[in-house]
């Protein structure tokens, strides 16, 4: 496959300093602590990038608004017809800034991080007293001026419960938002911020919270990307087709990957992007070149973000962050469970609640059922034809005209049902009867569950390069 040598995006960290000290922040390198890009430097960089075909720019920090020339910088980007994203914590935004931002014709969005609606939680994360109130005030002003807004809410131990109020508030007010559940390691490779990442048990609890109120926030887990050609996915795509210029003029592959490539005072963007050996190497590595990716059954839920792999392996290429890979797998399992639970609740009109066992759910007035990564089943019973009676997933079970599945413990179909009879009415249809002879759930429920199962468990179509 031909190598893609295009550059599509430029990232400008116009202010290395920040007025907040967020607990989870990955930006901890000594080389990213001091310096501001001037308006003149920025104009030179953006003209060079435009000549290379770049059409979008992210303006960030540190805290971008600490740069005394930030408005001029945004104006330069706008005059050059860049689609501009401005990242800020919002604590420094005022009415005058709103007047300015309202005039920026190519402003794609202002992205602000809000960790909690509660001041005590938000301020404990940022390390800046009063930051929550200032950030919420900025969001209010942006909305009043109809300035494009996006709220980001990184999830960590300190706000794992508070994040839900943020997401509900954003949804209620039609504010685009996201919850970043997996914290990436610090850019100095020390992993000093990972003590704030959710544990696997906390992640399970977080899933349960997203399923409350009929799964109102369960969209957080995503829907996956469907079938993917791994030989067409560049593993380091986020860094292979962009450049990051920091406040002191140093050029890096991307935000969060602070491997020096050169400096704007001595090197041209064109020379760095086209000739630096690291970037040339990045553009040759595809997901299909990584054996673990090629064999992964969860790649349809992977964002192929370079950051966790780079920080976990101290910049070494072709190595994976096993924790991130596990997260992708768990995320897919949670999405599968979500779709099953949401459908059953909708189909039978009964709410489903969690039991003490992660995999076991309880339907009111009916009983327990189990959701696993490879099946949906009743609770365990003595082996008859197989170890589990698959609930709604009728593949790989050999049905006769009539088969009795017994004994079932707390069967999903009724407290007093000691067994289930499955009658095959034609080649593709089945009827389910309880031990009292009464017909159970309608067949269409099982059809829909089978579709959900197949969507998540069909083998990935992996195309080798």
């Amino acid at each position: 496959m031909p190598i893609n040598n295009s550059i599509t995006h430029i990232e400008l960290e116009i202010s290395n300093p920040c007025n907040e000290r967020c607990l989870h922040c990955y930006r901890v390198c000594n080389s990213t602590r001091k310096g501001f890009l001037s308006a003149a430097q920025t104009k030179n960089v953006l003209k060079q990038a435009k000549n290379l075909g770049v059409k979008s720019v992210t303006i960030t920090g540190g805290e971008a608004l600490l740069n005394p020339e930030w408005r001029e910088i945004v104006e330069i980007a706008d005059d050059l017809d860049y689609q501009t994203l401005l990242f800020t914590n919002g604590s420094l935004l005022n009415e005058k800034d709103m007047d300015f931002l309202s005039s920026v014709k190519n402003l794609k969005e202002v992205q602000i991080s809000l960790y909690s609606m509660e001041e005590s939680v938000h301020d404990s994360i940022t390390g800046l007293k009063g930051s929550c109130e200032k950030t919420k005030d900025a969001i209010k002003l942006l909305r009043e001026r109809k300035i494009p807004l996006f709220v980001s809410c990184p999830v960590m131990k300190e706000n794992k419960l508070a994040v839900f109020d943020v997401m509900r508030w954003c949804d209620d007010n039609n504010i685009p938002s996201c919850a970043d559940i997996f914290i990436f390691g610090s850019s100095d490779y020390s992993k000093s911020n990972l003590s704030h990442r959710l544990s696997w048990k906390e992640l399970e609890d977080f899933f349960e919270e997203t399923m409350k109120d009929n799964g109102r926030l369960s969209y957080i887990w995503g829907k996956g990307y469907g079938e993917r050609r791994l030989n067409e996915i560049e593993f380091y795509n986020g860094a292979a087709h962009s450049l990051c210029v920091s406040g002191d003029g140093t050029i890096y592959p991307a935000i969060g990957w602070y491997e020096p490539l050169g400096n704007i005072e001595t090197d041209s963007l064109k020379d760095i992007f086209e000739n630096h050996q690291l970037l040339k190497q990045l553009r040759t590595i595809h997901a299909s070149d990584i054996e673990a990716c090629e064999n992964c059954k969860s790649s349809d839920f992977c964002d192929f973000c370079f950051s966790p792999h780079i920080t976990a392996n101290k910049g070494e290429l072709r190595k994976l962050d096993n924790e991130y890979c596990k997260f992708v797998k768990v995320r897919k399992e949670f999405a599968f469970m979500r779709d099953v639970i949401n459908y059953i609740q909708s189909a039978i009109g009964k709410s489903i609640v969690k039991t003490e066992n992660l995999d076991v759910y309880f339907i009111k007035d009916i009983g327990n059922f189990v959701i696993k990564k490879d099946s949906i089943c009743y609770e365990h019973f003595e082996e008859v034809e197989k170890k589990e009676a698959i609930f709604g997933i009728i593949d790989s079970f050999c049905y006769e005209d009539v088969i009795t599945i017994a004994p079932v413990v707390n069967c999903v179909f009724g407290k007093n049902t000691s067994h289930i009879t499955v009658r095959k009415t034609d080649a593709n249809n089945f009827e389910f009867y309880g031990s009292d002879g009464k017909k159970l759930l309608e067949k269409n429920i099982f059809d829909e569950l089978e579709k959900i199962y197949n969507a998540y468990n069909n083998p990935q179509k992996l195309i080798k390069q």
Side-chain angles (χ1 to χ4, degrees), residues 245-433:
V245 180
S246 193
D248 63 356
T250 304
I251 303 171
Y252 300 106
I255 291 174
W257 189 355
Y258 298 112
E259 178 69 30
L261 306 177
N263 192 285
I264 60 173
E265 298 299 328
T266 57
D267 304 285
S268 72
L269 297 188
K270 178 180 174 63
D271 185 53
I272 291 291
F273 183 77
E274 294 181 354
N275 299 312
H276 197 285
Q277 288 303 310
L278 174 60
L279 298 183
K280 291 172 69 174
Q281 187 176 5
L282 296 184
R283 294 192 283 271
T284 67
I285 303 174
H286 294 77
S288 56
D289 297 324
I290 312 295
E291 184 177 359
C293 295
E294 190 174 14
N295 297 325
C296 179
K297 295 182 178 180
S298 300
S299 63
D300 52 329
F301 267 74
C302 185
D303 296 323
F304 288 101
C305 176
F306 67 86
S307 291
H309 307 296
I310 288 297
T311 56
N313 295 291
K314 299 183 177 180
E316 190 171 348
L317 301 184
R318 297 178 180 267
K319 286 196 171 183
L320 299 178
D321 176 9
N322 293 328
E323 291 294 290
Y324 181 71
C325 293
K326 181 178 179 180
F327 169 73
V328 171
K329 178 182 177 183
V330 169
R331 176 187 170 197
K332 179 175 180 176
E333 290 175 4
F334 284 164
F336 172 53
M337 294 165 69
R338 170 205 61 202
D339 287 356
V340 170
I341 292 169
N342 286 346
Y343 181 76
I344 293 175
Q345 286 184 145
S346 173
I348 67 178
K350 293 182 180 290
S351 61
I352 296 176
V353 296
K354 176 78 170 53
T355 65
E356 292 183 2
N357 185 326
L358 171 66
D359 296 325
V360 180
Y361 290 79
F362 177 76
I363 303 180
K364 186 178 179 182
D365 298 328
I366 296 182
N368 292 346
F369 70 97
V370 179
I371 299 177
K372 294 187 175 181
K373 64 181 180 180
D374 55 357
S375 65
I376 313 168
C377 58
Y378 312 121
E379 287 199 302
H380 296 290
F381 60 95
E382 295 177 9
E383 183 174 5
V384 181
E385 292 290 336
K386 58 185 299 186
K387 292 181 180 178
E388 298 167 346
I390 296 181
F391 177 68
I393 309 307
I394 54 179
D395 63 331
S396 76
F397 195 100
C398 181
Y399 287 96
E400 302 294 341
D401 288 340
V402 177
I403 285 187
T404 298
I405 306 171
V408 180
V409 182
N410 289 328
C411 169
V412 68
F413 293 115
K415 295 179 181 177
N416 300 318
T417 302
S418 60
H419 64 272
I420 293 174
T421 299
V422 182
R423 288 193 175 94
K424 187 174 182 179
T425 58
D426 57 47
N428 298 307
N429 294 319
F430 301 84
E431 294 178 341
F432 297 78
Y433 295 84

Side-chain angles (χ1 to χ4, degrees), residues 32-256:
T32 59
R33 295 185 186 279
K34 298 179 181 180
F36 298 100
L37 282 179
S38 69
Q41 287 175 313
T42 301
K43 188 172 185 178
N44 179 35
V45 167
L46 289 179
K47 282 187 173 181
Q48 289 186 60
K50 190 174 182 66
N51 290 334
L52 293 174
V54 179
K55 296 180 180 180
S56 66
V57 58
T58 295
I59 296 176
T60 183
E63 171 48 47
L65 272 61
L66 286 176
N67 187 318
E69 295 184 303
W70 75 267
R71 293 183 198 84
E72 294 175 61
I73 290 172
V74 171
E75 198 167 30
I76 289 168
D78 201 42
D79 289 343
L80 290 171
D81 291 325
Y82 277 93
Q83 283 290 309
T84 302
L85 292 83
L86 175 63
F87 288 11
T88 173
N89 59 43
S91 65
L92 301 175
L93 283 169
N94 55 40
E95 289 277 5
K96 183 178 178 181
D97 298 328
M98 299 302 161
D99 292 338
F100 168 71
L101 290 172
S102 297
S103 70
V104 181
K105 63 180 184 296
N106 294 312
L107 181 64
K108 182 177 180 180
E109 67 186 25
V110 177
Q111 180 168 317
I112 291 182
S113 293
L114 180 63
Y115 303 104
S116 172
M117 304 302 290
E118 302 174 33
E119 291 185 20
S120 59
V121 176
H122 181 97
D123 292 358
S124 70
I125 292 172
T126 64
L128 180 64
K129 187 174 178 58
S131 59
C132 182
E133 182 178 359
K134 292 176 181 177
T135 295
K136 288 194 289 186
D137 285 346
I139 291 173
K140 180 175 180 290
L141 289 173
L142 288 165
R143 294 185 65 224
E144 288 175 351
R145 300 298 187 89
K146 301 187 184 309
I147 297 170
L149 168 68
F150 188 92
V151 171
S152 174
C153 187
V155 182
M156 61 203 87
K157 294 179 183 292
E158 289 76 10
N159 71 336
K160 62 185 178 184
L161 298 178
V163 63
F164 301 108
D165 286 337
V166 175
M167 302 305 292
R168 281 188 285 265
W169 180 78
C170 287
D171 290 348
D172 290 343
N173 290 280
N174 297 313
I175 301 172
S177 63
C178 72
D180 298 317
I181 305 171
F182 190 87
I183 292 175
F184 299 155
S186 53
S187 56
D188 63 355
Y189 307 145
S190 68
K191 304 182 181 181
S192 57
N193 61 340
L194 295 188
S195 60
H196 304 285
R197 181 190 286 172
L198 296 187
S199 67
W200 298 113
K201 177 61 172 65
E202 287 171 323
L203 200 61
E204 293 171 2
D205 295 338
F206 190 85
F207 170 74
E208 296 307 327
E209 288 293 325
T210 67
M211 293 305 300
K212 291 182 177 179
D213 299 326
N214 293 317
R216 177 179 175 181
L217 297 178
S218 60
Y219 64 82
I220 286 173
W221 303 102
K223 278 289 187 181
Y225 296 94
E227 182 181 300
R228 310 177 89 176
R229 295 174 178 267
L230 297 188
N231 68 315
E232 295 179 358
I233 298 175
E234 293 181 13
F235 190 80
Y236 297 99
N237 180 59
H241 299 284
S242 69
L243 287 174
C244 172
V245 180
S246 193
D248 63 356
T250 304
I251 303 171
Y252 300 106
I255 291 174

